[in-house]
């Protein structure tokens, strides 16, 4: 019995998994840069962001800025871990993407369009990492 067909299927699966992991790592690095820029804008210039209705989870805009910049630094470390092939970084990437989506949701009253964009990128990262973990 020939195993050539099985080897081709396995090679295709491995290349798909590696491509998905690279996509997730790059997306997480992009997401980190978005978070950092959003946080920097909030910390340096409070007037850049629109403050609307008072919400239950109201925090000072500067506090939100620091939260976003800290998440960005963590996301950079995890994104680099994903690109280097670290298996633990895949699970951590899902966790940081969930935290990122929650913080972007809480930041919606201040900058709604940007928050929605970040949530969409978070969803892509979560999808890509789930596919990657499912391939193992």
């Amino acid at each position: 019995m020939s195993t050539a067909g099985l080897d081709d299927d396995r090679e295709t699966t491995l290349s798909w998994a590696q491509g998905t992991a690279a996509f997730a790592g790059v997306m997480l690095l992009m997401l980190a840069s978005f978070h950092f820029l959003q946080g920097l804008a909030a910390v340096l210039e409070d007037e850049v962001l629109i403050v609307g209705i008072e919400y239950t989870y109201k925090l000072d805009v500067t506090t939100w800025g620091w939260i976003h910049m800290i998440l960005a630094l963590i996301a950079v470390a995890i994104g680099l871990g994903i690109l280097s092939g670290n298996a633990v970084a895949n699970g951590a990437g899902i966790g940081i993407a969930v935290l990122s989506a929650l913080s972007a949701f809480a930041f919606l009253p201040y900058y709604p369009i940007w928050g929605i964009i970040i949530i969409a990128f978070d969803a892509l990262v979560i999808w890509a990492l789930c596919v990657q973990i499912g391939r193992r």
Side-chain angles (χ1 to χ4, degrees):
M1 176 173 230
S2 174
T3 60
L6 294 176
D7 290 338
D8 289 342
D9 289 343
R10 183 179 177 116
E11 188 175 316
T12 302
T13 301
L14 288 175
S15 68
W16 174 259
Q18 289 171 344
T20 304
F23 172 76
V26 170
M27 286 295 292
L28 199 55
L29 290 173
M30 282 180 37
L31 185 65
S33 66
F34 292 159
H35 267 295
F36 191 80
L37 291 174
Q38 184 176 12
L40 195 62
V43 168
L44 295 179
E45 189 67 44
D46 286 346
E47 290 81 31
V48 170
L49 304 172
I50 300 168
V51 179
I53 304 169
E54 298 288 324
Y55 287 93
T56 304
Y57 44 86
K58 181 180 189 251
L59 288 175
D60 181 46
V61 175
T62 305
T63 304
W64 279 118
W66 284 109
I67 289 171
H68 284 287
M69 288 195 302
I70 291 169
L71 281 174
L73 294 176
I74 295 169
V76 164
I78 293 171
L80 292 174
I82 290 170
L83 289 175
S84 70
N86 187 337
V88 176
N90 289 337
I94 292 172
I96 196 69
V98 168
L99 286 176
S100 170
L102 290 173
S103 72
F105 177 76
F107 200 72
L108 283 175
Y110 302 105
Y111 213 16
I113 306 251
W114 191 252
I116 290 170
I117 290 170
I118 287 181
I119 290 170
F121 276 117
D122 285 323
L124 283 172
V125 167
I126 292 168
W127 169 81
L129 289 174
C130 287
V131 168
Q132 171 64 16
I133 289 172
R135 296 275 180 206
R136 291 183 182 225

